[in-house]
Amino acid sequence: MANEEYGTHYQTAPFQVSNKCCYYLKEKPCDDWAKEHNSWPFLGMMASEGGQREEALVEHGCNYYGKTTMRSAPFAPFLRQDILQLALDLEVPVPEIYGEIKRKPDGTLYTTKAQRTGCSMCGFGIHLEERPHRFDRLRERNEKEWHFWMYECCTDPETGEKYGWGRVLDWIGVGWEDIPAQQISMFDYLEGER
Protein backbone atom coordinates (compact mmCIF):
# COMPACT_ATOMS: atom_id res chain seq x y z
CA MET A 1 0.00 0.00 0.00
CA ALA A 2 2.79 2.46 0.92
CA ASN A 3 4.67 1.50 -2.25
CA GLU A 4 1.72 2.63 -4.36
CA GLU A 5 1.10 5.72 -2.25
CA TYR A 6 4.72 6.93 -2.27
CA GLY A 7 6.02 5.39 -5.49
CA THR A 8 8.56 3.23 -3.64
CA HIS A 9 9.61 -0.36 -4.18
CA TYR A 10 10.25 -1.65 -0.68
CA GLN A 11 9.94 -5.34 0.11
CA THR A 12 6.57 -6.23 1.57
CA ALA A 13 6.70 -8.33 4.72
CA PRO A 14 4.77 -11.63 4.67
CA PHE A 15 3.07 -10.58 7.93
CA GLN A 16 1.27 -7.49 9.16
CA VAL A 17 3.43 -4.55 10.20
CA SER A 18 2.16 -1.57 12.14
CA ASN A 19 3.30 1.34 14.26
CA LYS A 20 0.25 0.83 16.48
CA CYS A 21 1.68 -1.89 18.71
CA CYS A 22 2.25 0.40 21.70
CA TYR A 23 -1.25 1.78 21.39
CA TYR A 24 -2.98 -1.62 21.41
CA LEU A 25 -0.70 -3.37 23.92
CA LYS A 26 -0.04 -0.53 26.39
CA GLU A 27 -1.92 2.70 25.92
CA LYS A 28 -5.42 1.38 25.15
CA PRO A 29 -5.49 -1.25 27.93
CA CYS A 30 -4.28 1.38 30.43
CA ASP A 31 -6.85 3.89 29.22
CA ASP A 32 -9.61 1.26 29.32
CA TRP A 33 -8.64 0.24 32.87
CA ALA A 34 -8.52 3.88 34.01
CA LYS A 35 -11.99 4.59 32.61
CA GLU A 36 -13.41 1.39 34.08
CA HIS A 37 -11.98 2.26 37.52
CA ASN A 38 -12.57 6.03 37.35
CA SER A 39 -8.86 6.76 37.79
CA TRP A 40 -5.92 8.31 35.99
CA PRO A 41 -2.44 6.88 35.47
CA PHE A 42 0.89 7.75 37.05
CA LEU A 43 3.55 7.12 34.41
CA GLY A 44 7.29 6.65 34.86
CA MET A 45 8.18 8.64 31.73
CA MET A 46 11.09 11.07 31.72
CA ALA A 47 11.51 13.92 29.23
CA SER A 48 15.19 12.96 29.00
CA GLU A 49 14.14 9.84 27.07
CA GLY A 50 13.56 12.12 24.11
CA GLY A 51 11.27 11.81 21.11
CA GLN A 52 7.50 12.17 21.42
CA ARG A 53 7.70 11.75 25.19
CA GLU A 54 9.99 14.73 25.55
CA GLU A 55 7.82 16.86 23.26
CA ALA A 56 4.62 15.99 25.14
CA LEU A 57 6.15 16.45 28.59
CA VAL A 58 7.77 19.77 27.66
CA GLU A 59 4.52 21.00 26.14
CA HIS A 60 2.16 19.79 28.90
CA GLY A 61 4.36 19.40 31.99
CA CYS A 62 4.25 16.66 34.61
CA ASN A 63 0.50 16.73 35.03
CA TYR A 64 -1.75 16.85 32.00
CA TYR A 65 -5.43 17.68 32.19
CA GLY A 66 -7.15 17.34 28.84
CA LYS A 67 -10.78 17.02 27.79
CA THR A 68 -10.68 13.22 27.72
CA THR A 69 -7.25 12.38 29.14
CA MET A 70 -5.46 13.09 32.39
CA ARG A 71 -2.11 11.74 33.50
CA SER A 72 0.73 12.40 35.86
CA ALA A 73 4.39 11.80 35.03
CA PRO A 74 6.19 12.73 38.26
CA PHE A 75 9.63 11.71 36.96
CA ALA A 76 9.35 13.98 33.90
CA PRO A 77 11.83 16.70 34.95
CA PHE A 78 14.49 14.26 36.17
CA LEU A 79 17.45 12.74 34.35
CA ARG A 80 18.37 9.08 34.70
CA GLN A 81 21.34 10.07 36.86
CA ASP A 82 18.93 11.82 39.25
CA ILE A 83 16.77 8.71 39.58
CA LEU A 84 19.75 6.39 40.12
CA GLN A 85 21.22 8.73 42.76
CA LEU A 86 17.83 8.93 44.49
CA ALA A 87 17.63 5.12 44.55
CA LEU A 88 21.07 5.01 46.19
CA ASP A 89 20.25 7.79 48.67
CA LEU A 90 16.96 6.17 49.72
CA GLU A 91 18.46 2.64 49.62
CA VAL A 92 15.47 1.37 47.65
CA PRO A 93 15.64 -2.10 46.11
CA VAL A 94 16.45 -2.08 42.41
CA PRO A 95 14.42 -4.50 40.24
CA GLU A 96 16.50 -7.54 39.25
CA ILE A 97 16.23 -6.77 35.53
CA TYR A 98 18.44 -3.67 36.08
CA GLY A 99 21.07 -5.46 38.16
CA GLU A 100 23.00 -3.23 40.55
CA ILE A 101 23.71 0.50 40.45
CA LYS A 102 27.43 1.10 39.93
CA ARG A 103 29.56 4.19 39.41
CA LYS A 104 32.04 4.67 36.54
CA PRO A 105 35.42 6.28 37.27
CA ASP A 106 34.05 9.60 35.97
CA GLY A 107 31.20 9.44 38.52
CA THR A 108 28.45 8.47 36.07
CA LEU A 109 25.95 6.02 37.52
CA TYR A 110 24.77 3.00 35.52
CA THR A 111 23.00 -0.30 36.05
CA THR A 112 24.87 -3.57 35.53
CA LYS A 113 22.08 -5.21 33.49
CA ALA A 114 19.30 -3.44 31.56
CA GLN A 115 19.76 0.30 31.09
CA ARG A 116 16.14 0.75 30.07
CA THR A 117 13.19 -1.57 29.89
CA GLY A 118 9.98 -1.47 28.00
CA CYS A 119 7.66 -4.16 26.80
CA SER A 120 9.43 -7.51 27.05
CA MET A 121 8.26 -8.41 23.56
CA CYS A 122 9.11 -5.15 21.79
CA GLY A 123 11.39 -5.71 18.81
CA PHE A 124 11.84 -2.07 17.80
CA GLY A 125 15.54 -1.61 16.93
CA ILE A 126 16.47 -5.27 17.55
CA HIS A 127 18.48 -5.31 14.32
CA LEU A 128 20.91 -2.82 15.89
CA GLU A 129 21.75 -5.00 18.90
CA GLU A 130 24.58 -7.49 19.26
CA ARG A 131 23.90 -10.86 20.77
CA PRO A 132 22.90 -11.67 23.36
CA HIS A 133 20.08 -9.28 22.45
CA ARG A 134 16.88 -8.52 24.37
CA PHE A 135 15.09 -11.69 23.22
CA ASP A 136 18.08 -13.83 24.26
CA ARG A 137 17.95 -12.20 27.71
CA LEU A 138 14.18 -12.75 27.85
CA ARG A 139 14.77 -16.48 27.24
CA GLU A 140 17.21 -16.52 30.18
CA ARG A 141 14.71 -14.77 32.47
CA ASN A 142 11.50 -16.51 31.43
CA GLU A 143 11.62 -19.28 28.83
CA LYS A 144 7.82 -19.75 28.76
CA GLU A 145 7.24 -16.08 27.98
CA TRP A 146 10.01 -16.16 25.36
CA HIS A 147 8.42 -19.21 23.70
CA PHE A 148 5.02 -17.51 23.56
CA TRP A 149 6.37 -14.32 21.95
CA MET A 150 8.66 -16.17 19.53
CA TYR A 151 6.25 -18.89 18.37
CA GLU A 152 2.62 -18.29 19.39
CA CYS A 153 1.53 -14.66 19.83
CA CYS A 154 0.05 -14.19 16.34
CA THR A 155 -2.25 -16.13 14.06
CA ASP A 156 -1.78 -16.00 10.31
CA PRO A 157 -5.18 -14.82 8.96
CA GLU A 158 -4.83 -16.92 5.80
CA THR A 159 -3.55 -20.22 7.19
CA GLY A 160 -4.55 -20.08 10.86
CA GLU A 161 -0.94 -20.98 11.73
CA LYS A 162 0.44 -19.62 15.01
CA TYR A 163 3.67 -17.66 14.77
CA GLY A 164 5.57 -14.96 16.61
CA TRP A 165 8.62 -12.74 16.59
CA GLY A 166 10.68 -15.64 15.27
CA ARG A 167 9.09 -15.18 11.83
CA VAL A 168 9.87 -11.46 11.90
CA LEU A 169 13.46 -11.94 13.07
CA ASP A 170 14.07 -14.57 10.39
CA TRP A 171 12.73 -12.17 7.76
CA ILE A 172 15.03 -9.32 8.85
CA GLY A 173 18.03 -11.61 9.36
CA VAL A 174 18.40 -11.46 13.16
CA GLY A 175 19.44 -14.67 14.90
CA TRP A 176 17.26 -15.84 17.77
CA GLU A 177 16.63 -19.58 17.86
CA ASP A 178 20.16 -20.66 18.77
CA ILE A 179 21.65 -19.79 22.13
CA PRO A 180 24.60 -17.47 21.46
CA ALA A 181 27.96 -18.59 22.78
CA GLN A 182 29.17 -16.57 25.73
CA GLN A 183 32.53 -16.48 27.42
CA ILE A 184 32.22 -17.88 30.93
CA SER A 185 34.45 -16.82 33.74
CA MET A 186 36.54 -19.06 35.94
CA PHE A 187 34.10 -18.25 38.77
CA ASP A 188 31.12 -19.52 36.75
CA TYR A 189 33.01 -22.76 36.15
CA LEU A 190 33.97 -23.17 39.82
CA GLU A 191 30.37 -22.45 40.88
CA GLY A 192 29.19 -25.36 38.72
CA GLU A 193 31.71 -27.72 40.35
CA ARG A 194 30.19 -27.33 43.83
Side-chain angles (χ1 to χ4, degrees):
M1 185 158 139
N3 281 336
E4 292 83 28
E5 185 177 343
Y6 297 107
T8 56
H9 301 288
Y10 296 120
Q11 284 185 320
T12 303
F15 42 81
Q16 291 185 339
V17 177
S18 171
N19 64 346
K20 297 178 182 176
C21 182
C22 290
Y23 172 75
Y24 286 108
L25 293 177
K26 286 194 309 192
E27 295 171 29
K28 186 178 183 319
C30 287
D31 290 345
D32 291 349
W33 188 91
K35 286 177 189 165
E36 192 176 307
H37 293 87
N38 195 29
S39 61
W40 303 100
F42 283 90
L43 307 171
M45 299 185 312
M46 295 186 292
S48 61
E49 294 175 9
Q52 288 180 320
R53 290 178 178 183
E54 180 179 15
E55 291 171 16
L57 292 168
V58 167
E59 183 178 341
H60 302 292
C62 296
N63 297 311
Y64 175 74
Y65 303 97
K67 290 179 181 176
T68 60
T69 302
M70 286 191 254
R71 59 121 175 96
S72 180
F75 295 138
F78 298 101
L79 300 173
R80 187 163 192 272
Q81 292 297 299
D82 300 324
I83 301 300
L84 293 176
Q85 186 61 56
L86 183 63
L88 289 174
D89 293 347
L90 297 177
E91 299 179 11
V92 296
V94 177
E96 185 181 328
I97 195 165
Y98 294 107
E100 298 176 63
I101 299 173
K102 298 285 187 176
R103 191 176 301 275
K104 294 179 181 178
D106 69 0
T108 304
L109 297 170
Y110 68 98
T111 50
T112 57
K113 290 186 180 176
Q115 300 304 301
R116 291 183 60 186
T117 58
C119 295
S120 61
M121 80 308 220
C122 182
F124 185 79
I126 188 76
H127 65 291
L128 302 173
E129 294 181 22
E130 292 183 17
R131 296 196 70 192
H133 52 54
R134 68 187 84 165
F135 290 126
D136 294 326
R137 291 188 300 275
L138 175 60
R139 178 172 26 196
E140 289 173 14
R141 282 193 319 274
N142 187 332
E143 192 160 359
K144 284 184 178 181
E145 182 183 1
W146 174 85
H147 187 274
F148 173 77
W149 291 119
M150 302 314 280
Y151 293 103
E152 301 173 13
C153 64
C154 298
T155 304
D156 188 304
E158 294 177 18
T159 66
E161 172 194 5
K162 291 282 192 189
Y163 70 97
W165 270 106
R167 183 183 284 187
V168 177
L169 297 179
D170 286 343
W171 196 74
I172 63 174
V174 172
W176 63 277
E177 212 161 13
D178 62 316
I179 296 176
Q182 293 183 7
Q183 180 69 38
I184 64 168
S185 76
M186 169 178 70
F187 301 108
D188 292 334
Y189 177 77
L190 293 175
E191 190 71 29
E193 291 293 306
R194 293 181 193 174

